[in-house]
Amino acid sequence: MKNLKIKKLLAVAVASILTVGLVACGSSNSDSAKSDTASGSDAASGSYRTLDEIKEDGTINIGVFSDKNPFGYVDENGEYQGYDVYFANRLAKDLGVKVNFVSTEAANRIEYLQTGKVDVILANFTVTEERAQEVDFALPYMNVALGVVSREDNVIKSLDNWNKDDSIIVISGTTAETYLTENYPDIPLQKFDSYATAKEAFQNGTSVAWANDNTEVIAFALQNKGYTVGISELGNKDTIAPAVTKGNDSLREWINSEIETLGQENFFHKDYEETLVDTYGTDYEDSLVVEGGKTE
């Protein structure tokens, strides 16, 4: 009898130990899952440096294009130039820090902000509702619409009744890609990651037209003989603005204040005259430039 009682007590003790162990393991797994979820949430919200952190560091990282003349490009001396770069240099100067330019493509502008690779994007970034869900835009500094450029011997003036054997070049991650996909789903699109590769493909005749911001297709037609802009405005008129990581209010608010202050000295008209007038002349200046963040 004593042996039987001892065996029963041992069985109860072992069962108790196993139960505690299982509960402990369950708690550990639950905590781990919570931690993974939190990490995922942090990654989704993006990482950024506040205005004070940028000042303390002494350098601001600004994403710009390196192959999109006259807005952002690298000249023969290896220096960044262009309309967006001119603005970026002034931002850094007034903030009292050095500027570090980070070359970006259209498709990775949002990614570079969300991963903290750049503090600001100044790369012909058109404001859209979809993008505003992922990044925060400051006040605008330029007007823009979509346009279509084609060869002078085959001018594209409409996208209706499209020949299914013909394609249009777009750059991945641009409003042109989104607009054509949503509104002209039957038109074949040839997609490229960079302005340079899209330009080369278009000049090689791989597509009958190229859709992009009208400022860019107008510049292309003016800089390259044998091309014309058959559609100067496609879709809605939009604006271009600086973008910061979602939630970086201190930096966004400073940029807004800076844009308003610069408007008092007609800074963006000066920027246009320094960087864009050779391409566009003076006819486009007032229609493209936005001063003080105020659109008509």
Side-chain angles (χ1 to χ4, degrees):
M1 288 291 293
K2 287 184 180 180
N3 289 337
L4 183 60
K5 288 182 179 180
I6 291 173
K7 287 181 179 180
K8 287 183 178 181
L9 288 174
L10 286 172
V12 171
V14 169
S16 299
I17 291 171
L18 288 173
T19 301
V20 172
L22 288 171
V23 171
C25 288
S27 299
S28 177
N29 289 336
S30 176
D31 291 343
S32 178
K34 290 179 181 178
S35 177
D36 290 342
T37 301
S39 297
S41 176
D42 290 343
S45 65
S47 58
Y48 59 81
R49 300 189 302 164
T50 65
L51 180 66
D52 288 340
E53 288 171 337
I54 293 170
K55 287 181 177 179
E56 183 178 354
D57 180 66
T59 300
I60 185 168
N61 300 314
I62 300 182
V64 296
F65 288 127
S66 60
D67 61 354
K68 194 171 290 186
N69 186 349
F71 296 96
Y73 64 99
V74 177
D75 66 15
E76 62 276 9
N77 298 315
E79 299 292 332
Y80 279 91
Q81 304 290 349
Y83 186 75
D84 291 336
V85 174
Y86 190 94
F87 178 29
N89 281 322
R90 180 61 184 268
L91 282 180
K93 178 183 176 182
D94 290 350
L95 189 56
V97 298
K98 296 179 181 179
V99 60
N100 174 46
F101 290 116
V102 179
S103 177
T104 183
E105 304 290 354
N108 58 27
R109 289 174 293 193
I110 291 175
E111 174 193 343
Y112 278 16
L113 285 171
Q114 292 180 335
T115 58
K117 188 168 184 176
V118 299
D119 301 305
V120 185
I121 284 288
L122 289 178
N124 274 112
F125 212 6
T126 303
V127 178
T128 68
E129 291 182 2
E130 293 79 11
R131 289 171 175 171
Q133 294 176 6
E134 299 187 81
V135 301
D136 284 340
F137 286 102
L139 293 173
Y141 61 94
M142 195 172 197
N143 291 312
V144 71
L146 294 178
V148 178
V149 61
S150 50
R151 294 181 181 278
E152 288 182 344
D153 59 3
N154 184 25
V155 180
I156 304 298
K157 295 184 178 180
S158 172
L159 300 184
D160 298 326
N161 302 316
W162 190 263
N163 183 346
K164 64 179 182 180
D165 294 327
D166 293 331
S167 62
I168 295 181
I169 286 176
V170 296
I171 299 174
S172 299
T174 62
T175 50
E177 179 192 16
T178 302
Y179 178 83
L180 291 176
T181 300
E182 293 178 352
N183 295 279
Y184 295 91
D186 294 331
I187 295 180
L189 301 180
Q190 230 187 340
K191 303 179 183 181
F192 296 90
D193 290 333
S194 72
Y195 183 89
T197 53
K199 176 182 177 181
E200 181 180 4
F202 184 47
Q203 291 176 317
N204 288 336
T206 62
S207 292
V208 298
W210 182 6
N212 209 339
D213 288 352
N214 62 352
T215 51
E216 293 164 15
V217 296
I218 290 170
F220 177 86
L222 291 172
Q223 294 169 345
N224 299 272
K225 292 181 179 181
Y227 298 91
T228 187
V229 177
I231 304 175
S232 59
E233 287 191 5
L234 182 67
N236 298 326
K237 291 183 178 180
D238 296 306
T239 57
I240 289 172
V244 302
T245 308
K246 198 74 176 173
N248 195 352
D249 295 337
S250 61
L251 182 56
R252 178 182 55 82
E253 290 169 3
W254 182 87
I255 294 175
N256 282 343
S257 178
E258 174 75 354
I259 289 174
E260 291 172 342
T261 300
L262 291 175
Q264 298 173 13
E265 61 180 72
N266 284 330
F267 169 83
F268 291 101
H269 279 82
K270 295 177 183 176
D271 189 350
Y272 182 100
E273 290 159 10
E274 288 289 333
T275 62
L276 301 184
V277 74
D278 287 345
T279 300
Y280 298 105
T282 57
D283 293 343
Y284 292 98
E285 184 170 353
D286 289 334
S287 62
L288 292 179
V289 172
V290 174
E291 288 288 4
K294 298 177 181 179
T295 57
E296 294 181 358

